[in-house]
Amino acid sequence: MIGKVRPLVLAAALVVAGVATAGPAEAATTLGASAAAKGRFFGAAVANNHLGEAAYANTLDREFNSVTPENEMKWDATEPNPGQFTFGAADNIVNHARSHGQSLRGHTLVWHSQLPGWVNQISTGSALMTAMQRHINGVAGRYRGQIAYWDVVNEAFADGTGGGLRSSIWTQRLGFNTGWIEQAFRLARTADPNAKLCYNDYNTDGQNAKSNAVFNMVRDFKARGVPIDCVGFQSHLNINGVPGDYQANLQRFANLGVDVQITELDIGGSNFTTQANNYRTVVQACLNVSRCNRIVTWGVTDKYSWRASSTPLLFDGNFNKKPAYNSVLAVLNS
Ligand code: XIL
């Protein structure tokens, strides 16, 4: 019988009866809470030097339940000199996140960019491997047990049609094969056994030569028991929109048995309606893939975005909600 009672009528009856009716029909009003209701996280990249700005911290803490340090865990920030670790800024973000109940994405252990000069000057493969081991132990070890997901290796693949690894100190000293990437994942697993370990890259947001190459590596790693748990899709997009096969691409990686995450989402565009539609497409695609369990925007406010001139985020320079914010919240609540 009760199955035939229309929900509104039922709610009204319960209200009359003095029974609280906070139920699933009540939509959450922040990105984090709405994502949580769907079993996901919604995060932002955070810059330590802005945490003292009340509007910045208030927006972050009200809306986001996942935090990625934007620069503070990178090699140049954490090990500026060989074996000499500096964690002040990273610690500050970690403490902020922990005291506000926010889950952490660590970013990033091995990358070709934002390396201190001394790493680029290492002249042999064995010395570079030794440095990589010390770095992963030092940084992932420092935050052992506190990081939900680590971007272990960032942007190792080249753009274009070749489908190979990018030329960098890593490939120049250790080879154009994925052996050193494998080693980084094994070291990270040892340094922080409870963190989930991700490979993270850009221009992998649809099916193309680059994402195919990443796909082949992940398939190989899974087949051989190399400890990889997740693939991050940066999704630095522009007004031209979202690749038509965005969801299918996420799904094919998920089918390999890894979590997939949107790790650095920003979508450039001065037309806020178009931008809002593109954001909706990305978030809906993620929600449609059950293993897509986290979406992170690369910043909180347009004014501090690394792409500030293309106003790519969900909050404007005054921390007002943009149309894209409303479209994302609506999809999360749908
Ligand atoms: C960017 C930061 O946002 C900037 O502040 C910094 O100057 C350069 O790096 N891919 C990544 C991120 O993985 O670490 C980059 O972050 C953006 C591109």
Side-chain angles (χ1 to χ4, degrees):
M1 251 353 230
I2 195 144
K4 295 208 160 162
V5 177
R6 287 168 55 200
L8 266 180
V9 176
L10 177 61
L14 291 171
V15 169
V16 169
V19 178
T21 57
E26 206 164 300
T29 56
T30 65
L31 302 172
S34 298
K38 290 213 159 40
R40 326 289 171 111
F41 286 84
F42 205 100
V46 170
N48 183 51
N49 59 324
H50 298 311
L51 278 176
E53 183 177 344
Y56 181 94
N58 290 340
T59 306
L60 170 68
D61 299 336
R62 185 187 72 229
E63 297 288 343
F64 298 95
N65 59 3
S66 172
V67 159
T68 307
E70 184 172 357
N71 290 297
E72 293 79 354
M73 287 186 176
K74 292 172 182 175
W75 200 314
D76 60 354
T78 51
E79 195 187 1
N81 297 299
Q84 214 177 82
F85 290 91
T86 52
F87 290 119
D91 281 359
N92 205 49
I93 293 182
V94 169
N95 291 338
H96 181 99
R98 286 168 62 86
S99 64
H100 292 86
Q102 292 151 329
S103 173
L104 279 152
R105 292 195 88 262
H107 177 79
T108 176
L109 296 170
V110 178
W111 191 22
H112 66 275
S113 186
Q114 291 178 272
L115 283 174
W118 65 267
V119 176
N120 276 309
Q121 282 152 26
I122 293 175
S123 59
T124 68
S126 67
L128 186 59
M129 192 55 88
T130 302
M132 182 172 93
Q133 173 158 18
R134 180 176 59 192
H135 185 73
I136 292 175
N137 283 342
V139 179
R142 168 86 173 185
Y143 299 110
R144 185 185 176 107
Q146 302 180 55
I147 304 291
Y149 286 83
W150 260 114
D151 289 331
V152 176
V153 177
N154 197 35
E155 301 182 355
F157 283 85
D159 292 304
T161 55
L165 293 181
R166 144 197 323 271
S167 179
S168 72
I169 187 75
W170 300 105
T171 41
Q172 285 156 25
R173 298 287 175 269
L174 297 167
F176 281 84
N177 63 74
T178 56
W180 56 273
I181 302 178
E182 170 175 350
Q183 192 56 22
F185 276 87
R186 293 191 186 282
L187 290 166
R189 178 68 94 226
T190 303
D192 186 353
N194 290 321
K196 295 219 179 176
L197 306 181
C198 309
Y199 176 79
N200 191 53
D201 215 327
Y202 68 94
N203 280 352
T204 50
D205 310 304
Q207 300 197 28
N208 56 41
K210 188 175 180 180
S211 65
N212 287 344
V214 175
F215 183 86
N216 290 338
M217 177 185 74
V218 175
R219 189 172 51 190
D220 168 56
F221 281 9
K222 292 299 287 184
R224 292 189 297 109
V226 179
I228 185 168
D229 307 301
C230 145
V231 176
F233 299 83
Q234 293 185 9
S235 300
H236 293 296
L237 302 172
N238 58 45
I239 210 71
N240 295 331
V242 184
D245 57 358
Y246 190 89
Q247 182 182 321
N249 190 52
L250 295 177
Q251 187 66 59
R252 72 169 173 152
F253 278 89
N255 291 346
L256 292 175
V258 289
D259 293 339
V260 292
Q261 305 190 326
I262 316 303
T263 51
E264 304 184 15
L265 180 61
D266 55 11
I267 308 180
S270 49
N271 182 327
F272 284 179
T273 305
T274 309
Q275 182 182 54
N277 288 335
N278 287 329
Y279 264 101
R280 177 186 300 116
T281 302
V282 168
V283 174
Q284 186 64 64
C286 178
L287 292 178
N288 288 347
V289 175
S290 60
R291 291 200 74 150
C292 185
N293 58 6
R294 194 170 299 223
I295 300 170
V296 175
T297 58
W298 202 243
V300 174
T301 161
D302 281 342
K303 72 171 166 172
Y304 298 140
S305 163
W306 74 309
R307 302 169 67 194
S309 63
S310 57
T311 56
L313 292 171
L314 302 178
F315 293 88
D316 71 16
N318 296 314
F319 300 94
N320 293 314
K321 297 168 180 173
K322 293 166 62 184
Y325 173 95
N326 293 320
S327 71
V328 168
L329 188 68
V331 186
L332 291 174
N333 285 332
S334 67

